[in-house]
């Protein structure tokens, strides 16, 4: 492992009992802020028979009610604000792909904290002020671009705000402006890598050393593919608009989970069915309580993301708790003929058999039985019109999926470049049963 570097060592490597003290202290203030300044929270707490006086430390967290995406929808747009609009300096929003548009507000201090978290993430990926950071996440209402842009500025790195799209120009800038760190979604990184190959470029032709990829689930297999094509080390970064955006947690060089910025958030893992808090190490739904948010405090916010937490010491020296790579979301888990299926499991099978992460999962219902169709793109090297060969490949994928999922899927191999590429978050599942 290389030299250990941190953006704020005194906080990132703070002994854990000190982090706890800090969290306890901040929690009381944040709960009081929500109670006093956000009538929506006060009503929810009253309904559960709890007041800020009942919260003496984190041990009392479980007494507080959860906040759900449904609450966000009910309170849209201003109902959860903890500060007057005149104290706010920014609005960001989700794309609303799940039908629930979230609008989040930030004071100057909220932005400062968000930038700090993104700066920590860039340093954890090996970044310094001498790096050139190309931010190819979308800018605008989506938090990816503004978040990494802010972190890169705070670190003092030279920032190229390309935003997403115009892939040939992305590659030209990486090369001509000597970008050393690329920030975008993993699916866009794969697309940029694919285009580089088509242009006859190898990793030696570009100065990139690291990528900071997040905003969607991606498998270890996809990580290795991108790393090979671009000749970089690829780091995962997690976040959500409600909490700020990217940077809530990030990978260090050890890459065994993402460190959650515990000085700003308290994470919990709950059973998504019962709401019970689960012991450390259990897989369940991630819940966050913010500790410093002024404009948009969130108390026990249910993310619907599925992961587990560990406080095992990390060789990188950071003491903040780690969350494992996301397993999926409670709302992207498909139930097909009664079997729970995560798109990430399907991706693992495809990539293990040498296919690129260009695929579509189509779920339907025929005669009251669920159907699972997986369309997978062949690489140009695999592409053939020999039907026997194609059938053999399809059968092998069907078998792979059966042993991973315990389900029979229909697999169709399609020609290279027939599945639409994504410049942001990829949409891979089409569930026709919901329509
Ligand atoms: O995706 C923020 C972000 C931007 C994170 C850039 C990382 C990089 P939203 O659009 O609100 O915010 O979507 C949040 O995306 O609840 C997860 O389900 C998913 N997600 C985010 N990061 C990851 C990741 C941004 N690293 C939702 N792995 C979250 C898997 C992720 N899923």
């Amino acid at each position: 492992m290389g030299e250990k570097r941190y953006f704020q060592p005194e906080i990132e490597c703070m002994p854990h009992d000190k982090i706890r003290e800090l969290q306890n202290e901040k929690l009381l203030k944040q709960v009081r802020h929500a109670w006093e300044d956000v009538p929506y929270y006060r009503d929810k707490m009253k309904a559960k028979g709890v007041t800020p006086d009942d919260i003496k430390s984190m041990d009392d967290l479980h007494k507080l009610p959860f906040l759900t995406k449904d609450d966000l929808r009910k309170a849209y747009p201003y109902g959860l604000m903890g500060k007057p609009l005149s104290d706010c300096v920014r609005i960001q929003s989700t794309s609303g792909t799940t039908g629930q548009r979230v609008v989040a507000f930030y004071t100057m201090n909220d932005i400062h904290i968000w930038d700090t978290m993104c700066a920590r993430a860039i340093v954890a990926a090996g970044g310094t002020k001498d790096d050139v950071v190309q931010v190819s996440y979308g800018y605008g209402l989506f938090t990816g671009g503004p978040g990494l842009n802010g972190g890169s500025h705070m670190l003092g790195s030279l920032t190229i705000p390309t935003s997403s799209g115009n892939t040939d120009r992305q590659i030209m800038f990486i090369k001509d402006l000597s970008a050393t760190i690329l920030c975008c979604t993993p699916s866009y990184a794969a697309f940029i890598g694919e285009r580089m190959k088509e242009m006859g470029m190898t990793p030696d032709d570009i100065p990139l050393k690291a990528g900071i990829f997040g905003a969607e689930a991606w498998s270890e297999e996809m990580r290795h593919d991108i790393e090979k094509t671009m000749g970089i080390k690829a780091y995962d970064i997690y976040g959500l608009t409600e909490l700020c955006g990217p940077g809530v947690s990030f990978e260090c060089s050890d890459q065994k989970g993402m460190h959650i910025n515990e000085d700003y958030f308290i994470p919990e893992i709950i059973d998504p069915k019962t709401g019970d808090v689960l012991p450390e190490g259990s897989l369940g739904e991630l819940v966050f309580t913010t500790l410093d948010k002024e404009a948009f405090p969130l108390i026990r916010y249910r993310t619907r993301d599925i992961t587990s937490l560990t406080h095992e010491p990390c060789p990188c020296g950071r003491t903040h708790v780690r969350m494992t790579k996301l397993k999926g979301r409670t709302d992207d888990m498909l139930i097909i003929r009664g079997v729970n299926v995560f798109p990430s499991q399907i991706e693992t099978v495809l990539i293990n058999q040498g296919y690129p992460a260009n695929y579509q999962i189509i779920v339907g219902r025929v005669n009251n039985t669920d159907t699972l169709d997986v369309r997978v793109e062949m690489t140009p090297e695999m592409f053939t019109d020999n039907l026997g060969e194609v059938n053999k490949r399809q059968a092998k994928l069907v078998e792979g999926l059966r042993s991973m999922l315990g389900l029979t899927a229909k697999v169709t191999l399609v020609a290279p470049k027939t599945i639409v590429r994504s410049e942001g978050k990829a949409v891979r599942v089409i569930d026709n049963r919901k329509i």
Side-chain angles (χ1 to χ4, degrees), residues 363-423:
V363 188
R365 185 166 288 147
V366 177
N367 297 334
N368 292 321
T369 304
D370 297 329
T371 57
L372 171 62
D373 284 23
V374 185
R375 294 178 72 231
V376 190
E377 214 178 86
M378 287 181 275
T379 61
E381 300 79 47
M382 288 172 185
F383 190 47
T384 168
D385 49 13
N386 177 340
L387 269 186
E389 177 63 25
V390 172
N391 285 339
K392 220 161 76 193
R393 283 189 163 278
Q394 287 179 169
K396 190 165 171 219
L397 279 171
V398 170
E399 195 37 51
L401 290 170
R402 195 189 344 258
S403 67
M404 171 68 89
L405 312 171
L407 268 182
T408 306
K410 179 176 167 231
V411 174
T412 312
L413 286 173
V414 299
K417 303 206 77 164
T418 43
I419 291 178
V420 68
R421 300 291 186 267
S422 168
E423 294 168 354

Side-chain angles (χ1 to χ4, degrees), residues 77-89:
Y78 300 130
L80 284 166
M81 290 191 64
K83 287 280 174 191
L85 275 177
S86 58
D87 287 352
C88 297
V89 296

Side-chain angles (χ1 to χ4, degrees), residues 17 29 35 60 65 74 77 87 118 139 157 168 185 202 210 219 260 266 280 315 327 332 355 384 386 403-404 428 433:
D17 51 339
K29 282 193 201 141
W35 171 271
D60 299 319
K74 278 193 209 135
D87 287 352
C118 286
Y139 279 65
S157 315
D168 286 6
T185 60
T202 69
S219 56
I260 298 175
I266 299 174
E280 181 162 322
K327 168 119 173 119
D332 75 11
Y355 294 87
T384 168
N386 177 340
S403 67
M404 171 68 89
R428 296 202 165 102
R433 296 174 303 183

Side-chain angles (χ1 to χ4, degrees), residues 155-174:
L155 182 58
S157 315
L158 179 59
T159 313
I160 318 179
T162 48
S163 192
S164 57
N166 202 339
T167 307
D168 286 6
R169 191 182 60 189
Q170 300 278 356
I171 297 170
M172 185 186 88
F173 275 173
I174 290 173

Side-chain angles (χ1 to χ4, degrees), residues 254-292:
D254 206 53
Q255 301 199 313
K256 291 206 185 68
M258 294 179 270
H259 290 280
I260 298 175
N261 286 295
E262 278 190 284
D263 51 332
Y264 297 129
F265 305 111
I266 299 174
E268 298 171 274
I269 295 288
I270 62 159
D271 178 328
K273 291 208 184 78
T274 61
D276 293 340
V277 178
L278 298 176
E280 181 162 322
S282 320
L283 201 60
E285 181 178 349
L286 184 58
V287 172
F288 279 108
T289 297
T290 61
L291 294 174
D292 289 86

